[in-house]
Amino acid sequence: MKFQTNKKKLKIGRNDPCPCGSGLKYKKCCLRKEKTQGFQSNKDLYYKKYRIRLKGEDDIQGIRKAGRLVLDTLDLVEAAIKPGMTTNEINTLVHEYTIKNGATPAPLHYRGFPKSVCVSVNEVICHGIPGERVLKEGDIANVDVTSILNGYYADANKTFFVGTPGPDAKKIVEICKESMKLGISMVKPGNTIGDIGWAIQNYAEGKGASVVREFVGHGVGFDFHESPQIPHYGQEGEGIVLIPGMVFTIEPMINLGKKELRVLKDNWTAVTQDGSLSAQFEQTILVTKDGFESLTPYN
């Protein structure tokens, strides 16, 4: 945008004070409003440009119902998880409860994934395949549930303590959960995807942890994985501008050690390169007119 000053055209830089007098930088004030208003006038542009499918009221209600089932499933796991339990027993619990409630576990057979839920223990960052691994006292275990109910998808996960956690387990779980909350707090019309990632990265790295780069959040609702991608690192004011009707996951994977990872021979299980603990928390988030709503809310 160009403004007239003494009949001369002056181009306002992104980091200049906003000419509206708010005291904010232009990129954090009117530039965001202009971008948001431009796309609000023709929401089809979001699909044409970014392949983002915005959700209407009926869609949101469908995702919300699927989200309720996801949360009920996670509550069931939380009540059952204990030392001596195998990760495959968790899979059975999730699978049977999902089917019993008229839904389908989205991970099962997705791109060849062999189970109904991801269970990632200690050094496993994500996509842990349930099997004969026995949970031990002091472990941490992330359980990632995605349910399809009446054609709608909802996705959430939590990292649970198995028995009594040690200091490192407590530390990484607390950092990761707070990282997710801070990322979610950045969701409102006019903010950007970069704001979400910046908030997560700034906090986690400030606590001496690291943010995984290779796996990100994603659009969800009509399908398991949709546009846009939601990195858990980034720069303020960068990336796609958020508008009402967008639904996506925020699911930071935070390592106690370095951010580097490797994927095991099963082509799914991602583990920390240095063997350090990793935690993850995830919710499905809707951009509303005034801010956000979690469609899979938990404290």
Side-chain angles (χ1 to χ4, degrees):
M1 175 179 283
K2 295 182 179 180
F3 296 83
Q4 295 282 357
T5 302
N6 296 328
K7 297 184 179 181
K8 293 183 180 180
K9 291 184 178 180
L10 177 65
K11 185 175 181 180
I12 304 299
R14 291 170 54 82
N15 291 308
D16 291 340
C18 190
C20 75
S22 66
L24 299 174
K25 292 182 179 180
Y26 177 50
K27 69 180 180 181
K28 289 189 176 183
C29 191
C30 286
L31 178 61
R32 291 186 176 186
K33 294 176 184 177
E34 290 156 9
K35 288 181 178 179
T36 304
Q37 290 166 357
F39 279 109
Q40 280 291 86
S41 64
N42 186 356
K43 292 183 179 181
D44 287 344
L45 286 175
Y46 254 57
Y47 182 71
K48 292 176 181 177
K49 186 169 184 178
Y50 303 121
R51 313 302 287 182
I52 295 172
R53 294 183 286 178
L54 301 177
K55 278 67 178 180
E57 288 301 320
D58 289 344
D59 304 319
I60 293 165
Q61 183 62 17
I63 301 167
R64 191 182 286 118
K65 288 180 179 178
R68 182 66 261 170
L69 176 59
V70 168
L71 292 179
D72 290 345
T73 306
L74 287 169
D75 287 346
L76 189 69
V77 171
E78 185 169 16
I81 198 166
K82 61 183 179 180
M85 192 176 198
T86 67
T87 55
N88 200 51
E89 287 177 307
I90 295 175
N91 180 78
T92 299
L93 194 67
V94 170
H95 180 87
E96 291 182 349
Y97 188 75
T98 303
I99 299 301
K100 176 183 176 182
N101 284 276
T104 302
L108 186 60
H109 306 312
Y110 179 77
R111 297 183 179 177
F113 192 80
K115 297 289 184 174
S116 295
V117 66
C118 297
V119 183
S120 304
V121 182
N122 292 343
E123 78 287 353
V124 180
I125 295 169
C126 63
H127 301 160
I129 300 175
E132 298 308 312
R133 182 167 182 168
V134 177
L135 299 179
K136 299 177 181 178
E137 179 75 23
D139 284 346
I140 58 174
N142 177 269
V143 179
D144 193 345
V145 176
T146 308
S147 298
I148 313 168
L149 182 64
N150 299 323
Y152 290 104
Y153 293 69
D155 192 1
N157 72 52
K158 292 182 178 181
T159 298
F160 300 110
F161 295 126
V162 182
T164 303
D168 284 348
K170 285 184 178 179
K171 179 180 179 180
I172 192 58
V173 168
E174 288 172 359
I175 291 172
C176 186
K177 193 170 186 179
E178 184 63 21
S179 295
M180 180 195 68
K181 290 180 178 179
L182 289 170
I184 292 173
S185 74
M186 301 303 291
V187 177
K188 64 179 180 179
N191 273 7
T192 68
I193 288 176
D195 294 325
I196 298 170
W198 173 84
I200 292 169
Q201 181 183 7
N202 187 60
Y203 176 77
E205 292 181 351
K207 292 292 185 178
S210 62
V211 180
V212 171
R213 305 296 203 270
E214 288 84 349
F215 301 102
V216 298
H218 53 86
V220 69
F222 297 140
D223 206 345
F224 199 165
H225 296 96
E226 306 174 15
S227 293
Q229 293 190 341
I230 310 293
H232 303 113
Y233 59 94
Q235 297 294 322
E236 287 183 284
E238 298 298 322
I240 297 171
V241 176
L242 306 180
I243 66 170
M246 294 173 69
V247 177
F248 48 77
T249 68
I250 295 178
E251 49 180 302
M253 286 143 276
I254 308 297
N255 297 346
L256 192 59
K258 296 181 179 180
K259 66 180 183 296
E260 286 74 23
L261 61 80
R262 61 189 177 93
V263 177
L264 302 185
K265 292 181 180 179
D266 60 24
N267 293 321
W268 281 103
T269 308
V271 301
T272 56
Q273 185 70 49
D274 59 10
S276 62
L277 293 176
S278 184
Q280 183 183 17
F281 285 89
E282 173 187 26
Q283 294 189 30
T284 294
I285 304 299
L286 163 71
V287 184
T288 66
K289 291 181 180 179
D290 302 315
F292 71 88
E293 176 191 347
S294 175
L295 301 179
T296 54
Y298 60 78
N299 294 325

